[in-house]
């Protein structure tokens, strides 16, 4: 479930009325936004919006310290009698579900190991799985066990049947923690006496009843869709209610398409950043590094693109290097736990929308922290000492001040790659960087060395770049850190994002090891190795295609070995796509662990991109606290101090580096599920960017309807096969019912379709000519038909004629 979803043309599935009306069993259902229903009170005729979710309630409660209801009401901002009554209903339901207990001293949260936190992912055919926050095996949820939960909702699930060798565990939704869908895109239909909104996303297995006044939005020509606000989620026998908020055109151009997708993913109406007075970073203890000619590598060009780190490199003796990574000092400029901090935590990440960004930071904060060439600016830096083979030997962090010397765009790296060794002339793209050319050359060489070392440690680079469509803008450039997906996009050595990525990964490796060694409450990123059984399935598919592979004595193959083997074949892209879908995502966690994607076996803590990810910003806050307030000795009477900013202090610290009051905010945030919430949010944002890519590909393909193009088979299933078609690399489905020349059987072990009569085969990596028959850009569905060669047509006609004529040998002889 970790990889991007294929764009499959499947019939929409609508649940029956009985499914919509069945009562919720042991479920905290919700209004808008979600709340609770215990069955003790009737549903009001006029929906009353609630100001909290079950997740909000649990986040406020502790497992070891009671919280008075009055303090909970204040924390949630509940002041009216109606709000407090709704809180009472929610708490009663949570007590019944054994999520909390209520005592004279207040409320106490329970950690029930039988209830598993997860996010629902449903298909258009009604199959639903709960994707566990802890990264465990997905749980299959039957439709009668959904208890009114919808696709994307955060839920608590109880396992009702353990999984087997080839069967997922089964379970039922016990509580809806947080609704994903407060509004949706839909088409309006009149069905007898009811006016219904039919969700455009057929993974939402429901319909929403609309008021009669919304009949003005009926659109038989389907030239538009509507945004429907959910007024009441299903509760007991009561179905969902909503109203049309606005109409959106289906063919309104690039800006209208972006608006559609932002609306679909609830990103179109973000709350503005709260106004706050920014703090000035402290001068005390800052290291002056303004003499370093640090470089700003320019990856992105979109509006409001995030701030990226600056780099500098110095050569040491015996082929060793000291790599400096300077991160913009964002954490020092706002109050931890304040309104701005909470707003950024809710945003989770900066989001590339193509030519522009939805920023993580407020505009004043981004402007204050941004690096400028020639201007002294506060930073947080790390000096990474590397051996001749690129191994991390030592590191030291510091609060610093830098003065960047130049900006380096991608064009400069391309010119550097094309420049001949020892050339006397300097290309035009490099003239402004003439003084920095030796530094650039060393950075490129070091990045190549670090990449080699990372791949040798099991990291995966795949040649699966985002297609070069103009409207995708900055989405075409990979993020400069370890992405959520369990693989990285392969880049040329002389590439701005490749150089920055290897430096950032090394800096995150250093902080991870440092915070783990000091036992500080950090947000670590973990990425376990792919499951051996899934990798072996990919290996079997490759062996069926006669791809030469070297297996271990046990008959297993590693993901890295498969990636290398596939890169040497003419079926590289199709096979790498299959490998991609078997890799595990990188997730945030409270505890340190291996990060296979970064080639790190111990600990990995992101921090250098605080304008890109909230996790980086949160770890940067912790690092600033350590550097500015950490105790470097047990008491002031001790004369000898430890350098708590470097790895030299590891094993020496036997005292508390920070006071309990300083640690409490970090520990409480982790205990209340910060890592899980960021993981969930990142998953939702990844779905948005996947949709953005699919929409751009579909729009690029629409003018090609009726044309015949040569594509490559990217996947084979029993119902047909998927073909990736240039130039946008859009993926469409050839349904098996459209193959009229023969009766085709699916051979799962060989991963191919084979015709019974003519033995024609369709397998992964084959080139086929297809006609583009239909493009549904809103649902990202592309229907294709195979163009059979003339010889096949003639053989089919001849075979048909032979079947219609009598067999001479079977006729009786004449008298």
């Amino acid at each position: 479930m970790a990889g991007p979803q294929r764009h499959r043309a499947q019939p929409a599935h609508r649940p029956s009325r009985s499914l919509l009306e069945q009562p919720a069993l042991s479920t905290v259902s919700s209004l808008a936004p979600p709340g609770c229903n215990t069955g003790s009170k009737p549903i009001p005729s006029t929906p009353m919006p609630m100001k909290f979710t079950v997740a909000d309630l649990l986040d406020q409660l502790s497992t070891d310290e009671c919280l008075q209801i009055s303090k909970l009401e204040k924390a949630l901002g509940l002041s009216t009698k109606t709000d407090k009554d709704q809180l009472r209903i929610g708490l009663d339901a949570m007590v019944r579900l054994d999520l909390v207990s209520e005592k004279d001293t207040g409320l106490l949260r329970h950690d029930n190991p039988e209830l598993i936190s997860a996010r629902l992912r449903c298909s258009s055919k009604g199959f639903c799985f709960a994707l566990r926050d802890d990264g465990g095996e997905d749980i299959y949820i039957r439709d009668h066990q959904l208890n009114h939960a919808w696709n994307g909702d955060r839920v608590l699930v109880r396992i009702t049947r353990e999984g087997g060798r080839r069967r997922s565990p089964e379970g039922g939704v016990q509580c809806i923690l947080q609704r994903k869908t407060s509004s949706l895109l839909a088409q309006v239909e009149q069905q007898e006496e009811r006016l219904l909104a039919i969700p455009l996303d057929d993974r939402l297995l429901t319909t929403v009843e609309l008021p009669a006044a919304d009949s003005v939005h009926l659109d038989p020509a389907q030239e538009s869709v509507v945004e429907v606000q959910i007024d009441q989620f299903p509760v007991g026998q009561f179905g969902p209610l909503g109203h049309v908020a606005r109409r959106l055109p289906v063919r309104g151009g690039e800006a209208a398409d972006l608006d559609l997708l932002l609306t679909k993913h609830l990103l179109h109406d973000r709350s503005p950043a709260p106004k706050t007075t920014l703090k000035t970073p402290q001068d005390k203890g800052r290291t002056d590094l303004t003499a370093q000619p640090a470089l700003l590598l320019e990856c992105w060009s979109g509006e409001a693109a995030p701030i990226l780190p600056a780099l500098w490199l110095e050569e040491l003796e015996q082929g060793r290097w000291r790599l400096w990574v300077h991160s913009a000092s964002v954490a020092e400029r706002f109050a931890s736990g304040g309104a701005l901090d909470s707003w950024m935590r809710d945003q989770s990440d900066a989001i590339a929308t193509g030519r522009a960004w939805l920023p993580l930071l407020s505009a004043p904060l981004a402007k204050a922290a941004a690096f400028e060439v020639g201007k002294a600016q506060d930073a947080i830096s790390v000096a990474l000492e590397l051996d001749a083979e690129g191994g991390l030997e030592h590191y030291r962090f510091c609060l610093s001040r830098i003065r960047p010397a130049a900006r380096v765009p991608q064009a400069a790296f391309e010119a550097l790659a094309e420049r001949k060794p020892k050339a006397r002339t300097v290309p035009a793209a490099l003239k402004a960087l003439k003084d920095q050319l030796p530094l650039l050359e060393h950075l490129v060489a070091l990045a190549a060395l670090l990449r080699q070392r990372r791949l040798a440690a099991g990291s995966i680079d795949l040649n699966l770049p985002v297609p070069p469509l103009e409207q995708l803008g900055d989405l075409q450039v990979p993020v400069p850190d370890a992405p959520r997906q369990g693989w990285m996009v392969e880049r040329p050595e002389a590439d701005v994002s490749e150089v920055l990525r290897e430096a950032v990964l090394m800096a995150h490796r250093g902080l991870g090891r440092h915070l783990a060694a000091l036992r500080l409450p950090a947000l670590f990123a973990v990425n376990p190795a792919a499951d051996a059984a899934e990798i072996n399935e990919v290996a079997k598919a490759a062996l069926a295609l006669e791809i030469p592979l070297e297996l271990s004595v046990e008959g297993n193959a590693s993901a890295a070995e498969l990636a290398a083997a596939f890169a040497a074949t003419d079926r590289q892209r199709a096979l790498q796509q299959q490998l991609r879908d078997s890799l595990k995502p990188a997730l945030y966690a409270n505890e340190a662990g291996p990060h296979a994607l970064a080639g790190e076996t111990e600990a990995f803590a992101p921090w250098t991109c605080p304008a890109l990810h909230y996790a980086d910003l949160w770890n940067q806050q912790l690092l600033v606290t350590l550097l500015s307030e950490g105790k470097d000795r047990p008491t002031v009477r001790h004369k000898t101090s430890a350098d708590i900013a470097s790895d030299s202090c590891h094993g020496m610290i036997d005292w508390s580096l920070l006071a309990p009051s300083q640690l409490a905010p970090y520990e409480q945030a982790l205990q209340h599920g910060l890592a899980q919430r960021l993981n969930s949010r990142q998953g939702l944002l990844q779905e948005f960017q996947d949709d953005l890519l699919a929409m751009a590909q579909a729009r690029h393909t629409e003018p090609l309807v009726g044309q015949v193009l040569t594509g490559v088979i990217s996947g084979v299933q029993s119902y047909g096969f998927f073909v990736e078609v240039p130039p946008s690399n859009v993926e469409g489905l050839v349904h098996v019912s459209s193959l009229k020349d023969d009766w085709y059987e699916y051979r799962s072990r060989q991963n191919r379709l084979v015709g019974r009569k003519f033995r024609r085969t369709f397998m992964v990596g084959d080139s086929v000519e297809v006609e583009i028959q239909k493009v549904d850009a809103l649902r990202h569905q592309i229907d294709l038909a195979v163009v059979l060669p003339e010889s096949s047509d003639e053989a089919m006609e001849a075979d048909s004629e032979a079947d219609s004529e009598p067999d001479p040998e079977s006729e009786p002889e004449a008298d």
Side-chain angles (χ1 to χ4, degrees):
M1 307 295 289
Q5 299 298 299
R6 297 187 184 278
H7 316 313
R8 297 174 179 172
Q10 297 173 334
H13 169 80
R14 301 294 172 204
S16 64
R17 180 65 178 169
S18 61
L19 173 60
L20 292 176
E21 293 183 345
Q22 62 181 313
L25 305 176
S26 303
T27 303
V28 179
S29 296
S30 44
L31 302 181
C36 308
N37 172 46
T38 64
S40 60
K41 294 187 179 183
I43 301 301
S45 57
T46 302
M48 297 183 296
M50 288 187 172
K51 295 183 177 180
F52 56 87
T53 69
V54 178
D56 293 334
L57 297 182
L58 293 177
D59 284 345
Q60 295 295 331
L61 302 178
S62 170
T63 57
D64 52 16
E65 185 176 349
C66 288
L67 179 68
Q68 295 178 357
I69 292 183
S70 59
K71 292 185 178 180
L72 177 60
E73 291 171 345
K74 183 177 180 180
L76 295 172
L78 308 181
S79 56
T80 68
K81 184 178 183 301
T82 299
D83 291 340
K84 294 178 181 180
D85 286 344
Q86 291 175 340
L87 175 62
R88 182 70 264 168
I89 294 173
L91 291 174
D92 287 344
M94 293 167 70
V95 170
R96 294 185 184 187
L97 291 173
D98 198 29
L99 297 178
V100 301
S101 59
E102 187 170 0
K103 303 178 181 180
D104 293 340
T105 53
L107 300 164
L108 194 67
R109 175 180 174 178
H110 292 175
D111 275 339
N112 188 339
E114 294 184 355
L115 296 180
I116 299 168
S117 179
R119 185 164 66 91
L120 278 184
R121 176 172 290 174
C122 300
S123 75
S124 60
K125 291 188 175 182
F127 302 113
C128 291
F129 286 86
L131 280 60
R132 299 171 57 150
D133 290 344
D134 60 10
E137 188 176 3
D138 298 343
I139 304 169
Y140 176 57
I141 311 292
R142 296 183 183 273
D143 54 5
H144 67 279
Q145 294 282 9
L146 283 171
N147 290 328
H148 295 312
W150 292 352
N151 179 62
D153 289 349
R154 284 188 64 212
V155 296
L156 289 178
V157 174
R158 188 188 302 274
I159 292 180
T160 57
R161 181 178 179 182
E162 296 295 336
R165 181 180 177 187
R166 286 186 165 272
R167 187 185 71 240
S168 298
E170 295 185 18
V173 174
Q174 302 298 298
C175 174
I176 300 173
L177 292 173
Q178 190 171 33
R179 291 282 189 178
K180 174 197 173 186
T181 307
S182 58
S183 68
L184 52 84
L185 292 179
Q187 291 172 327
V188 181
E189 290 186 9
Q190 185 75 48
Q191 296 184 4
E192 298 179 351
E193 300 298 322
R194 304 171 67 212
L195 188 68
L196 299 177
I198 312 299
L200 205 63
D201 186 348
D202 51 17
R203 297 172 300 173
L204 293 172
L205 310 176
T206 186
T207 57
V208 180
E209 190 159 354
L210 303 174
D214 282 345
S215 61
V216 296
H217 296 289
L218 286 167
D219 181 15
Q222 297 188 352
E223 295 179 349
S224 64
V225 295
V226 295
E227 178 192 356
V228 174
Q229 292 284 342
I230 304 298
D231 297 320
Q232 177 178 293
F233 287 95
V235 182
Q237 73 272 30
F238 298 94
L241 304 176
H243 69 277
V244 174
R246 58 177 179 146
R247 185 194 297 256
L248 297 95
V250 171
R251 299 184 181 279
E254 184 179 324
D257 284 349
L258 178 58
D259 190 20
L260 277 169
L261 294 179
L262 291 173
T263 302
K264 175 182 176 181
H265 293 274
L266 308 180
L267 297 171
H268 64 299
D269 193 22
R270 299 205 311 173
S271 60
K275 294 181 180 179
T276 186
T277 301
L278 299 179
K279 299 191 299 182
T280 301
Q282 64 181 30
D283 285 329
K284 182 181 177 182
R286 297 205 95 84
T287 302
D288 187 357
L289 300 175
T290 54
Q292 287 185 5
L295 300 180
L296 300 176
L297 307 190
E298 293 185 329
C299 287
W300 298 311
S301 59
E303 180 184 350
I307 310 165
L308 292 173
L311 303 182
W312 191 61
L313 183 65
E314 57 181 316
E315 190 171 3
L316 306 177
E317 71 284 351
Q318 298 178 347
R320 297 165 58 251
W321 297 93
R322 181 179 289 123
L323 172 63
W324 289 85
V325 181
H326 306 294
S327 175
S329 182
V330 178
E332 293 184 90
R333 300 176 184 274
F334 65 92
S336 176
L340 180 58
D341 188 15
S342 298
W343 180 83
M344 292 187 293
R345 185 177 300 186
D346 289 340
Q347 307 311 314
S348 171
D349 294 84
I351 311 165
T353 65
R355 303 177 197 269
W357 289 73
L358 298 180
L360 169 64
L361 309 183
S362 66
L365 179 57
K367 182 178 180 181
F371 291 143
E372 294 183 27
V373 173
K375 179 181 177 182
Q377 191 74 1
D378 294 317
I380 303 170
S381 303
V382 62
L384 303 158
E385 292 189 14
L386 310 173
D387 61 27
E389 286 75 39
L392 180 57
E393 290 186 329
H394 302 290
Y395 47 84
R396 189 179 192 281
F397 300 89
C398 65
L399 303 179
S400 63
R401 182 168 291 115
I402 68 169
R403 182 181 286 111
R407 291 187 177 275
V408 187
Q410 174 61 23
F413 280 92
E414 293 173 356
L416 189 65
E418 295 173 358
R419 187 186 183 208
K420 295 181 180 179
K422 299 181 180 180
R424 295 183 178 180
T425 58
V426 178
L430 293 173
K431 285 185 177 180
L433 299 168
K434 186 177 180 180
D435 294 338
Q436 285 78 34
L437 285 184
L439 174 58
L440 280 178
E441 290 172 345
H442 289 319
L443 281 172
V444 170
L446 179 61
L449 180 64
L450 295 179
R451 177 176 179 269
Q452 257 182 355
R453 188 180 182 90
R454 173 172 58 81
L455 293 176
S459 183
I460 306 292
D461 283 7
L462 301 178
N463 187 20
L464 299 174
V466 173
L469 303 178
E470 185 178 353
Q471 62 267 44
L472 293 177
D474 284 347
L475 277 173
Q476 299 173 74
V477 182
V479 293
D481 57 359
R484 176 183 173 85
Q485 62 207 33
W487 57 280
M488 296 188 190
V489 177
E490 182 180 310
R491 304 293 287 183
E493 285 187 2
D495 180 90
V496 61
S497 62
E498 170 67 15
V499 172
L500 186 58
R501 177 169 65 187
E502 299 303 331
V504 163
L505 293 179
M506 189 61 71
H508 292 181
R509 181 180 291 115
L511 184 65
R513 293 182 182 180
H514 196 53
L515 296 180
L518 299 181
R519 299 181 181 179
L520 292 174
L523 265 176
F524 296 97
V526 296
N527 176 232
D531 184 80
E534 294 188 21
I535 293 298
N536 283 342
E537 289 299 317
V538 178
K540 289 177 183 177
L543 289 172
L545 298 173
E546 299 182 353
I547 304 296
L549 296 177
E550 291 187 10
L551 305 181
S552 67
V553 177
E554 295 80 13
N556 297 323
S558 73
E561 289 169 341
L562 290 183
F566 295 165
T569 73
D570 58 355
R571 299 175 188 262
Q572 172 189 358
R573 184 174 177 85
L575 289 171
Q576 286 193 347
Q577 285 173 326
Q578 294 203 354
L579 178 60
R580 169 197 66 189
D581 294 341
S582 68
L583 300 175
K584 293 183 179 295
L587 299 173
Y588 297 124
N590 300 353
E591 302 292 336
H595 198 298
L597 181 57
E600 171 57 37
T601 58
E602 299 177 31
F604 190 83
W607 67 279
T608 64
C609 302
L612 183 60
H613 306 299
Y614 181 80
D616 290 56
L617 180 54
W618 199 85
N619 279 335
Q620 193 181 90
Q621 287 178 317
L622 179 60
L623 178 57
V624 168
T625 304
L626 173 66
L627 296 177
S628 59
E629 302 178 41
K631 298 179 182 179
D632 61 0
R633 65 194 75 190
T635 68
V636 293
R637 295 179 180 179
H638 282 72
K639 296 182 179 180
T640 304
S641 63
D643 186 3
I644 61 174
S646 80
D647 62 319
S648 65
C649 73
H650 295 179
M652 298 173 55
I653 309 297
D654 57 0
W655 62 89
S656 297
L657 289 169
L658 297 171
S661 60
Q662 295 169 326
L663 287 172
Y666 301 103
E667 293 172 339
Q668 290 174 5
L670 294 178
Q671 290 172 1
H672 290 171
L674 175 61
Q676 289 79 7
R677 295 182 73 175
L678 292 179
N679 287 333
S680 179
R681 179 68 174 170
Q682 272 208 336
L684 297 177
L685 297 182
Q686 184 62 53
E687 289 180 2
F688 163 72
Q689 293 191 326
D690 290 344
D691 270 3
L692 193 63
L693 170 59
M695 175 73 85
Q697 290 174 303
R699 289 301 192 198
H700 194 271
T701 308
E702 280 180 328
L704 305 178
V705 171
Q707 293 189 25
V708 175
L709 297 172
T710 301
V712 176
I713 295 178
S714 55
V716 180
Q717 299 291 336
S718 59
Y719 50 82
F721 54 88
F722 297 95
V723 179
E724 199 175 62
V725 183
S728 67
N729 290 336
V730 70
E731 196 175 53
L733 174 66
V734 176
H735 199 274
V736 70
S737 62
S738 69
L739 301 174
K740 305 295 187 181
D741 64 322
D742 206 340
W743 181 271
Y744 284 86
E745 296 177 339
Y746 175 56
R747 298 184 179 177
S748 58
R749 290 188 178 182
Q750 299 174 331
N751 200 23
R752 65 184 68 184
L753 290 174
V754 181
R756 284 186 180 180
K757 185 175 293 186
F758 300 112
R759 316 306 297 172
R760 185 179 184 188
T761 63
F762 295 102
M763 58 186 181
V764 170
D766 281 353
S767 293
V768 290
E769 285 194 331
V770 291
E771 179 186 345
I772 300 175
Q773 293 190 325
K774 182 181 177 182
V775 176
D776 187 338
L778 294 182
R779 294 179 175 84
H780 316 319
Q781 293 176 351
I782 316 296
D783 292 345
L784 306 174
V786 169
V787 178
L788 298 173
E790 293 182 4
S791 57
S792 296
D793 294 339
E794 293 172 358
M796 184 173 64
E797 291 176 4
D799 188 72
S800 176
E801 292 174 0
D803 288 344
S804 63
E805 294 179 358
D807 187 348
E809 296 182 0
S810 65
E811 291 183 326
E813 294 182 0
D815 293 337

